[in-house]
């Protein structure tokens, strides 16, 4: 069912999952012990109904289909796994090392998206100093 959608809609679905995940993880400051799948799903539902272009383009029949929901669950897991599997770049590592030294922090990060969050977060902290 998901595979029957246009390439543009499939890309938009993937992007909406990624964006909502980034927003949710930023909201909990990338504290993995605070991660709650149901909370993330609520964040994603809000995002797709308020900000996503694909949601209104998919028929209510498809959106209410259990098969579609199962395929979306698989897609969500794939997107999240991909996010966690992308290692930080050497530039991100250097930037974070410098920022953490300046601010006296010691945040752990394991993926590119988490590194980006901490670069943005610590840069904001530095501006406030």
């Amino acid at each position: 069912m998901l595979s029957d959608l246009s390439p543009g809609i499939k890309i938009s679905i993937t992007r909406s999952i990624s964006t909502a995940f980034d927003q949710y993880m930023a909201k909990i400051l990338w504290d993995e012990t605070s991660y709650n799948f149901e909370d993330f799903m609520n964040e994603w539902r809000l995002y797709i109904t308020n900000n996503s272009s694909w949601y209104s383009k998919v028929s209510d029949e498809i959106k209410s289909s259990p098969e579609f929901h199962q395929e979306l669950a698989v897609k969500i897991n794939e997107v999240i796994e991909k996010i966690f599997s992308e290692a930080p770049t050497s530039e991100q590592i250097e930037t974070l090392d410098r920022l953490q030294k300046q601010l006296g922090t010691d945040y752990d990060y394991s993926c590119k998206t988490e590194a980006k969050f901490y670069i943005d977060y610590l840069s904001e902290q530095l501006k406030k100093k």
Side-chain angles (χ1 to χ4, degrees), residues 21-128:
F21 186 76
D22 290 353
Q23 289 174 351
Y24 173 72
M25 292 305 287
K27 187 184 280 186
I28 63 169
L29 301 175
W30 274 84
D31 177 7
E32 292 175 29
T33 60
S34 297
Y35 178 82
N36 179 292
F37 184 74
E38 290 172 13
D39 290 344
F40 163 64
M41 289 305 297
N42 288 333
E43 184 87 21
W44 184 62
R45 278 187 202 100
L46 281 172
Y47 180 82
I48 63 173
T49 55
N50 296 324
N51 304 44
S52 189
S53 62
W54 71 266
Y55 193 72
S56 62
K57 295 176 183 172
V58 175
S59 74
D60 288 340
E61 181 184 334
I62 290 174
K63 288 188 283 197
S64 65
S65 163
E67 181 184 344
F68 182 67
H69 285 269
Q70 289 172 340
E71 291 174 3
L72 275 177
V74 169
K75 185 67 173 172
I76 289 167
N77 287 330
E78 288 172 357
V79 170
I80 291 172
E81 282 179 36
K82 183 176 184 219
I83 288 169
F84 279 115
S85 71
E86 291 181 319
T89 66
S90 56
E91 183 181 319
Q92 285 179 314
I93 293 168
E94 289 171 20
T95 301
L96 278 167
D97 286 347
R98 181 180 46 76
L99 287 168
Q100 293 207 79
K101 219 174 262 184
Q102 288 177 298
L103 291 164
T105 60
D106 188 27
Y107 292 107
D108 289 327
Y109 53 94
S110 60
C111 67
K112 189 176 185 175
T113 304
E114 186 178 16
K116 182 189 177 318
F117 165 78
Y118 279 116
I119 289 169
D120 295 345
Y121 179 75
L122 292 174
S123 294
E124 274 302 309
Q125 297 301 313
L126 198 57
K127 286 179 190 174
K128 291 178 183 177

